Amino acid sequence: SAAGVPYLLLGPFGTGKTHVLATAVALVLSEPSNRTLVCTHLNRGADLFCWTLKDHLRKGDYEFVLRLVSNEETLSKLCLPSDTYSRTTRSISDNDIPYCRAIVTTFQTSLHLLSIPKLRFTHILLDEGAQSP
């Protein structure tokens, strides 16, 4: 049985690894008790993952996805409207995060999540794609 064993997905650029991860997150979110953290190196990679994930989710599931950004001390939700690429944000509180079933952020911003008590993830995915500037 492979339950609980980490998986490693390797491949050269452009082979669809991000799409495979987005499909995996969509499958994980089909079970309401699951919570997923997706981390990337750069904001650009996290944005790209959100756009990719949106295409893989069932209608209505995207409302449970939080694209988390931060400045040094404040966490914000990044809104990515489907019609335009606009980086608008709104401040969130620690109380907003437990209602999210998938959080997409950078490795650096994910460190802010350590301060939220009782926040646990059933799945953690690391997407190293789009890491070059």
Side-chain angles (χ1 to χ4, degrees), residues 25 29-32 34-37 53 57-67 77 96-104 121:
V25 170
L29 290 182
S30 67
E31 175 59 46
N34 288 336
R35 177 175 285 139
T36 303
L37 173 65
L53 178 60
L57 290 175
R58 296 178 303 188
K59 187 175 181 176
D61 279 349
Y62 196 71
E63 68 186 74
F64 298 108
V65 176
L66 174 66
R67 168 63 178 96
K77 177 179 182 177
D96 293 323
I97 293 176
Y99 297 104
C100 299
R101 294 192 25 237
I103 296 176
V104 181
F121 296 97

Side-chain angles (χ1 to χ4, degrees), residues 7 10 24 35 38 75 77-78 88:
Y7 294 92
L10 298 172
R35 177 175 285 139
V38 179
L75 293 176
K77 177 179 182 177
L78 180 62
T88 58

Side-chain angles (χ1 to χ4, degrees), residues 10-24:
L10 298 172
F13 293 111
T15 56
K17 296 177 299 296
T18 298
H19 285 280
V20 170
L21 290 178
T23 301

Side-chain angles (χ1 to χ4, degrees), residues 5-114:
V5 175
Y7 294 92
L8 183 60
L9 178 62
L10 298 172
F13 293 111
T15 56
K17 296 177 299 296
T18 298
H19 285 280
V20 170
L21 290 178
T23 301
V25 170
L27 289 171
V28 166
L29 290 182
S30 67
E31 175 59 46
S33 63
N34 288 336
R35 177 175 285 139
T36 303
L37 173 65
V38 179
C39 292
T40 66
H41 282 283
L42 301 174
N43 280 312
R44 186 183 76 176
D47 293 347
L48 174 65
F49 188 85
C50 281
W51 285 104
T52 304
L53 178 60
K54 200 169 195 177
D55 292 337
H56 287 81
L57 290 175
R58 296 178 303 188
K59 187 175 181 176
D61 279 349
Y62 196 71
E63 68 186 74
F64 298 108
V65 176
L66 174 66
R67 168 63 178 96
L68 197 61
V69 296
S70 72
N71 62 26
E72 302 263 331
E73 298 175 8
T74 309
L75 293 176
S76 299
K77 177 179 182 177
L78 180 62
C79 305
L80 294 176
S82 58
D83 57 340
T84 181
Y85 187 79
S86 169
R87 291 185 63 87
T88 58
T89 62
R90 75 166 176 86
S91 292
I92 61 170
S93 71
D94 292 352
N95 295 329
D96 293 323
I97 293 176
Y99 297 104
C100 299
R101 294 192 25 237
I103 296 176
V104 181
T105 192
T106 62
F107 293 114
Q108 184 67 35
T109 300
S110 69
L111 296 175
H112 290 280
L113 299 173
L114 295 173

